Amino acid sequence: MGKLHLFDMDGTLLYGSAAAIEISRQLGLEREIDELERGFAAGELTPPQFAQLACDLWAAELTEPQVAAAFESAPWLAGIQEVWADIRARGERCAVISLSPSFFVERLLAWGADAAHGSRWPAVPIRERVEPAGILSSAAKVRIADELCARYGLTWADCVAYGDSMSDTDLFAAVPASVAVNADHHVSDLASYAYAGRDLREAYELVRTGP
């Protein structure tokens, strides 16, 4: 029977960082985005509010080449493409579901993800306001995972989730197997396994079965 491996991105595939941080670094706005990240982590900002404030920071100058540079220079875990290649070689599926902007998340399709879902932020260059309905949440991750199960003919019993923080709690509660990757207290008590390090291959070995 096949499996569906569901990966968070910020703090999970990205070691100690997030798409918004890496994009802001390209623009010299590290201090400003750090303040927004702290507000979001403290629950002072909703996902749509965070998205709008981040877009306000970037609107004047963000370009596609800067997004590409942020993606290429980001602190990705080692072994992502190897893990996804192994998953697909075994007849299984892998998907990324992230609250971060889809124009960043979807670049992971080129690395071998079967699907990549992010929030619908305005396209770059940013000239429009954020549509709150397009911004994902912890609950939206469950909805998207359910849609992916239906697409691939799988059930919740076939799912494995990998995540690190509060936005992963609903998904961790829904699946039978989960890996807390460099995680905080929000998911550490929910996870089937825990991994701390910088190589996705090691986290994947915790749930990989058979030769």
Side-chain angles (χ1 to χ4, degrees):
M1 180 177 292
K3 286 190 176 295
L4 173 58
H5 298 257
L6 301 160
F7 295 88
D8 174 53
M9 186 183 72
D10 296 342
T12 302
L13 299 177
L14 281 171
Y15 182 80
S17 192
I21 294 172
E22 296 305 314
I23 291 170
S24 297
R25 182 171 291 125
Q26 293 294 317
L27 302 173
L29 297 170
E30 294 97 327
R31 179 180 59 80
E32 290 85 350
I33 202 66
D34 283 349
E35 291 178 3
L36 294 184
E37 289 280 353
R38 283 194 293 270
F40 180 66
E44 298 166 0
L45 296 173
T46 65
Q49 288 171 333
F50 175 88
Q52 185 59 65
L53 290 170
C55 284
D56 291 344
L57 280 180
W58 304 339
E61 53 185 315
L62 184 62
T63 64
E64 282 289 350
Q66 288 168 325
V67 174
F71 184 89
E72 293 299 328
S73 63
W76 299 103
L77 292 189
I80 294 174
Q81 295 183 59
E82 291 88 340
V83 166
W84 292 352
D86 185 78
I87 288 171
R88 298 181 74 171
R90 294 159 64 86
E92 300 177 351
R93 303 282 188 169
C94 53
V96 181
I97 310 175
S98 170
L99 274 59
S100 280
S102 57
F103 59 73
F104 193 96
V105 180
E106 289 172 1
R107 291 173 179 269
L108 290 168
L109 291 170
W111 286 13
D114 289 291
H117 293 264
S119 293
R120 295 195 308 271
W121 292 37
V124 176
I126 294 171
R127 299 289 185 267
E128 300 175 355
R129 300 285 295 175
V130 168
E131 289 290 340
I135 304 303
L136 301 186
S137 63
S138 180
K141 287 190 171 187
V142 176
R143 172 181 56 79
I144 292 170
D146 196 41
E147 293 170 355
L148 290 170
C149 283
R151 180 191 305 175
Y152 300 134
L154 300 171
T155 69
W156 284 113
D158 305 314
C159 293
V160 181
Y162 305 73
D164 75 302
S165 63
M166 186 165 54
S167 71
D168 303 303
T169 53
D170 286 1
L171 191 55
F172 272 42
V175 302
S178 55
V179 184
V181 180
N182 298 314
D184 63 22
H185 67 282
H186 291 103
V187 296
S188 57
D189 291 338
L190 297 172
S192 309
Y193 306 92
Y195 172 72
R198 303 192 68 156
D199 195 321
L200 188 63
R201 290 165 293 199
E202 296 171 356
Y204 173 55
E205 280 300 320
L206 297 174
V207 291
R208 184 179 186 273
T209 58

